[in-house]
Amino acid sequence: MIVNPRSGGGLTERRWAQLVGPLAEGLGSFDTRFTERAGDGRRLAAEESAAGRTLVVALGGDGTISEVADGVLASGKPVDLGIIPHGTGGDFRRTLDLPEDIREAGRRVRDSAARVVDAGKVTFSTGVRHFVNVASFGFSAEVASRANRSSKSFGAKAAFLGATLRALASHDNADLFVSVDGAAGRRMTVLLGAVGNGRFFGGGMKICPDSRLDDGLLDLVTVGDLGRVEILAKIHRLYAGTHLTMDDVQLTRGRSIVVTPADGRTIPVEIDGETPGTLPATFEIVPGALRLRA
């Protein structure tokens, strides 16, 4: 089990001691490795997979789950990935409809058969990252970066709403070229674009409501050139997942999506709640990449 001790408001020694019993009741016996800094989840998962583990369990939030999945995939070994959500955002937990109770989540990892699901892959100029849930660019990436630096003591939704309001003050919509499955690039001005393997991002926004984890496709949802007042008026539809009928929203499905800035601006990319790079980027589906126990 790879544990992020900063997840869910932070695991003090006392709080971790309170979790060990319920975890063992649900999951059975396990070894533990703790992350200390960004990137440790990937490194530890790759090390344990290469050492012969057949099951690696991620305990933490969306970023931890994503890092551990990335490490399992990087190892190239036939390793099952278990998930016990213990974070503030919980967006991948929502996609999988997982329980918040860690004893029950552990039991599901122990008792469930592995389900083969897809993963996403993002290629930047600086490297490659896999993702399991949603990657995005533009305004949503700015919000994620601000939310990660803010307190989540009042919950994920409050943190992301606060970050949204702060980001609105300085945000300019992005002018981009977007190409899907090798087609000629379309120029568009967007508030944000979300590339979904899963359905939720931003602390509960159902941004890709029709996305499936095992259909071999990515869902690209682009929200067009909305102004500040329109964003505030329509943001509730992103949470409800009813935005696909809006005139300013487009849904496209594909296996490979290339996004390039049209004006040379630096536009951040968010991957499962973290912001590890910028556009240009290529988003690809990796069909059947993961064996998921959840």
Side-chain angles (χ1 to χ4, degrees):
M1 183 180 295
I2 297 173
V3 178
N4 179 1
R6 294 170 299 283
S7 66
L11 292 175
T12 63
E13 184 175 352
R14 181 182 60 82
R15 290 188 66 202
W16 174 242
Q18 293 172 344
L19 293 181
V20 169
L23 284 169
E25 289 176 23
L27 183 63
S29 61
F30 57 90
D31 297 325
T32 309
R33 298 193 70 178
F34 292 95
T35 64
E36 296 180 1
R37 59 186 64 87
D40 274 1
R42 183 186 194 278
R43 177 180 61 82
L44 295 173
E47 288 177 2
E48 294 296 336
S49 299
R53 299 282 187 183
T54 57
L55 172 63
V56 174
V57 180
L59 187 149
D62 293 314
T64 302
I65 294 167
S66 185
E67 280 196 6
V68 172
D70 191 32
V72 167
L73 289 169
S75 75
K77 301 294 184 179
V79 179
D80 290 358
L81 172 65
I83 294 174
I84 298 179
H86 191 266
T88 308
D91 286 313
F92 198 48
R93 175 185 64 77
R94 292 182 177 90
T95 291
L96 293 170
D97 194 25
L98 292 180
E100 294 186 72
D101 179 77
I102 60 169
R103 181 186 288 102
E104 175 60 17
R107 187 193 64 77
R108 290 196 189 184
V109 172
R110 182 193 67 198
D111 294 343
S112 63
R115 172 188 175 187
V116 176
V117 300
D118 306 331
K121 182 174 76 171
V122 186
T123 304
F124 306 101
S125 61
T126 54
V128 177
R129 265 290 307 271
H130 292 91
F131 67 98
V132 292
N133 190 35
V134 176
S136 72
F137 47 87
F139 183 69
S140 53
E142 293 181 26
V143 170
S145 181
R146 289 175 181 269
N148 286 338
R149 298 194 301 268
S150 66
S151 169
K152 295 186 177 69
S153 57
F154 294 103
K157 189 170 184 178
F160 278 96
L161 283 174
T164 297
L165 295 174
R166 293 192 297 275
L168 277 175
S170 59
H171 176 76
D172 291 320
N173 290 343
D175 195 15
L176 306 170
F177 288 107
V178 179
S179 172
V180 179
D181 289 342
R186 292 179 295 148
R187 187 165 184 161
M188 57 177 63
T189 302
V190 303
L191 171 71
L192 64 89
V195 182
N197 187 43
R199 297 177 179 176
F200 294 87
F201 80 161
M205 292 186 186
K206 200 173 185 180
I207 188 66
C208 298
D210 299 331
S211 183
R212 293 176 58 88
L213 291 172
D214 56 3
D215 63 356
L217 296 170
L218 292 170
D219 281 25
L220 170 63
V221 175
T222 53
V223 180
D225 193 16
L226 299 183
R228 291 172 174 80
V229 174
E230 290 178 290
I231 294 168
L232 292 174
K234 296 177 179 179
I235 194 170
H236 68 284
R237 297 191 62 175
L238 296 180
Y239 279 100
T242 61
H243 54 287
L244 295 185
T245 58
M246 291 166 50
D247 293 338
D248 302 300
V249 176
Q250 296 183 29
L251 167 63
T252 308
R253 291 191 174 93
R255 294 176 175 84
S256 177
I257 300 162
V258 180
V259 184
T260 307
D263 55 8
R265 284 174 51 197
T266 298
I267 300 171
V269 175
E270 170 264 338
I271 298 177
D272 290 341
E274 308 294 332
T275 49
T278 60
L279 296 178
T282 299
F283 304 83
E284 299 171 275
I285 194 72
V286 188
L290 281 170
R291 291 172 51 85
L292 193 65
R293 294 261 295 272

